[in-house]
Amino acid sequence: MFKLKLAAIAVATLGMHAAGAAEVEVLHWWTSGGEAKSAAELKKMVEARGNKWKDFAVAGGGGENAMTVLKSRVVSGKAPTAAQVKGPSIQEWGAEGVLANLDGTAKANNWDGLLPGVVANVMKYKGSYVAVPVNVHRVNWMWVNPEVFKKAGAEVPKTWADFPAAAEKLQKAGFVPVAHGGQPWQDFTVFESIVLGVGGAKFYEDSMVKLDPKALSSPTMEKVFDTFRSVRKYIDKDAANRDWNLATAMIINGKAGMQFMGDWAKGEFTAAGKVPGKDYLCLPAPGTEKSFTFNIDSFIVFKQQAADAPKAQSDFAAAVMSPEFQEVFNLNKGSIPVRSGVSMAKFDDCAKTSAKDFTDTAKGGGLVPSIAHQMAVPASTSGAMQDVVTSFFNSNQASKDAVAKLAAAAKTK
Ligand code: BGC
């Protein structure tokens, strides 16, 4: 349950903030090599507008730790200036009455004209902008070390049916077939790509977005769990609790063949000076070529006592939406710009493919929100579903039982 009844507490303690300095305290979870480089660009631009950046980084991929810390901060009346919060959670924070309003900045900079309607709606609470979007990440990627596949004489799998044969060859040749980190959000990230690859976009939409009990309890979902189990055979014994960027490093240094992860992984390849198409390949996760699982990073802004806070928040939000920021940040982060009017000239082929597929799937179907990255359903629901997925991955449960548990977890409010 989200409802913390934060509003009263936060408002009562607003006076605790030091007045005066236009300090911008920003909570985020961008701590890996590529992420930190991207966050540094944001700091630079906020400071260039005459504000003081106060970093509030909370390590932990996927942001679960950051969300826990944020809640306790707000409850104790010390909300940061801005915090990385995404998807339906923006609405939940809005309902707590603690968010500041960005309508002035949005209007002055024509956000309604620059953002896709679906994105703008997520950033608004009761018709007012309370959040600013940063980027569009695609989740249904497979990161491949082509040299490893070549050495093993294996074909890169195009479907989940092709996967075991390829993985077997990699394993026989002494490689780790799948680079994975055993953390619940990483398990769920792989799982959602299997839902999409095995069942298709409509099945994904029905089961992961609409939470339709029929789809959740279907034989297709059982097949998804069977497939998911087959992935476990091909991860290494040290996977437990490994951070996602260390799993990406296994692809970079030729220890492993493939990783199923969103394109923040590309930020790691970029930071390591690796070239797509040569040192590594970005390919759709098996069977997901015609679909796009989106994950949009954004920042919400909190009401503050300091008189100069609204200007600092406006500077912050305007910086995030500026074409200069959208270009340099996303070049480092592995994502694509979220607003129109940003040149893609400096972006690599992975980003160009992503941008094209985002537009095409938005028009023609296949664009779906990532459940593992809090885009599809409230975090309380996706969290309960994630627990089922992780406990299945780490046990010998029958797929049939897991299907029933997943359908039950999807009812969590
Ligand atoms: C965020 C990304 C981040 C990734 C790994 C995702 O949920 O959207 O910005 O890089 O988690 O921490």
Side-chain angles (χ1 to χ4, degrees):
M1 286 293 282
F2 187 83
K3 300 200 174 35
L4 295 171
K5 291 288 156 269
L6 300 170
I9 305 160
V11 170
T13 52
L14 278 174
M16 287 170 66
H17 288 270
E23 185 178 79
V24 180
E25 186 182 34
V26 183
L27 179 140
H28 61 90
W29 64 88
W30 292 329
T31 55
S32 78
E35 289 176 334
K37 272 185 125 178
S38 316
E41 295 298 337
L42 182 54
K43 173 180 177 195
K44 236 192 261 170
M45 290 208 187
V46 168
E47 294 198 328
R49 288 167 196 245
N51 301 289
K52 197 167 163 271
W53 174 274
K54 190 170 175 202
D55 202 46
F56 187 0
V58 181
E64 257 170 83
N65 299 347
M67 291 307 97
T68 308
V69 174
L70 177 63
K71 280 181 191 161
S72 70
R73 257 297 199 99
V74 179
V75 167
S76 64
K78 292 187 198 124
T81 318
Q84 188 186 350
V85 166
K86 313 183 294 180
S89 297
I90 296 174
Q91 304 301 312
E92 294 177 338
W93 280 106
E96 296 292 338
V98 290
L99 299 187
N101 184 304
L102 290 171
D103 278 343
T105 316
K107 198 148 191 234
N109 295 284
N110 186 30
W111 290 9
D112 277 341
L114 295 170
L115 292 172
V118 280
V119 178
N121 283 342
V122 178
M123 303 301 139
K124 291 176 184 174
Y125 176 68
K126 294 201 168 153
S128 283
Y129 279 100
V130 291
V132 58
V134 177
N135 59 1
V136 180
H137 270 304
R138 183 181 202 170
V139 182
N140 61 314
W141 284 113
M142 168 170 63
W143 305 94
V144 164
N145 183 317
E147 198 56 34
V148 166
F149 272 80
K150 203 168 141 205
K151 282 187 191 150
E155 291 276 331
V156 178
K158 286 208 165 64
T159 65
W160 284 107
D162 298 341
F163 168 79
E168 202 60 36
K169 279 198 176 158
L170 294 174
Q171 199 161 58
K172 286 224 169 80
F175 297 105
V176 178
V178 178
H180 184 65
Q183 295 173 344
W185 74 272
Q186 293 189 59
D187 299 340
F188 207 23
T189 298
V190 177
F191 182 83
E192 74 170 31
S193 278
I194 298 178
V195 173
L196 189 62
V198 167
K202 180 166 185 317
F203 178 72
Y204 182 98
E205 186 88 39
D206 288 345
S207 58
M208 300 289 116
V209 186
K210 295 183 183 152
L211 305 175
D212 170 18
K214 244 172 81 190
L216 282 161
S217 318
S218 63
T220 307
M221 192 54 86
E222 206 174 314
K223 195 168 163 210
V224 168
F225 275 102
D226 290 344
T227 308
F228 188 47
R229 182 182 318 286
S230 76
V231 173
R232 194 182 65 176
K233 265 173 73 182
Y234 298 109
I235 65 177
D236 64 327
K237 60 171 183 17
D238 300 327
N241 215 25
R242 174 190 285 136
D243 285 329
W244 67 271
N245 53 316
L246 300 181
T248 307
M250 292 167 69
I251 306 291
I252 295 176
N253 64 28
K255 209 174 164 219
M258 54 193 143
Q259 183 186 17
F260 306 105
M261 185 51 65
D263 46 19
W264 43 94
K266 204 185 74 191
E268 299 305 297
F269 289 101
T270 306
K274 300 295 175 191
V275 179
K278 183 174 149 266
D279 304 318
Y280 71 97
L281 310 177
C282 52
L283 295 165
T288 71
E289 200 180 357
K290 299 215 158 48
S291 309
F292 190 117
T293 332
F294 68 86
N295 169 25
I296 295 170
D297 284 313
S298 50
F299 285 99
I300 53 174
V301 284
F302 286 93
K303 286 179 188 162
Q304 305 281 322
Q305 180 71 3
D308 53 7
K311 183 189 171 290
Q313 284 172 328
S314 171
D315 285 352
F316 171 81
V320 167
M321 274 288 283
S322 70
E324 302 79 37
F325 172 79
Q326 292 275 323
E327 181 183 66
V328 69
F329 179 89
N330 288 307
L331 281 169
N332 284 295
K333 188 70 170 64
S335 37
I336 55 171
V338 65
R339 53 157 286 179
S340 58
V342 181
S343 162
M344 291 299 290
K346 290 191 191 151
F347 286 83
D348 60 29
D349 288 346
C350 304
K352 284 181 181 142
T353 303
S354 189
K356 183 180 181 308
D357 290 353
F358 182 64
T359 314
D360 290 354
T361 54
K363 275 193 206 130
L367 183 64
V368 291
S370 164
I371 186 165
H373 294 273
Q374 302 99 43
M375 290 285 117
V377 297
S380 46
T381 313
S382 62
M385 293 168 74
Q386 178 174 285
D387 288 347
V388 171
V389 165
T390 283
S391 96
F392 172 85
F393 200 59
N394 295 313
S395 70
N396 290 318
Q397 263 171 62
S399 298
K400 228 184 157 89
D401 296 343
V403 165
K405 284 185 185 155
L406 189 70
K411 294 191 182 130
T412 310
K413 291 278 180 273

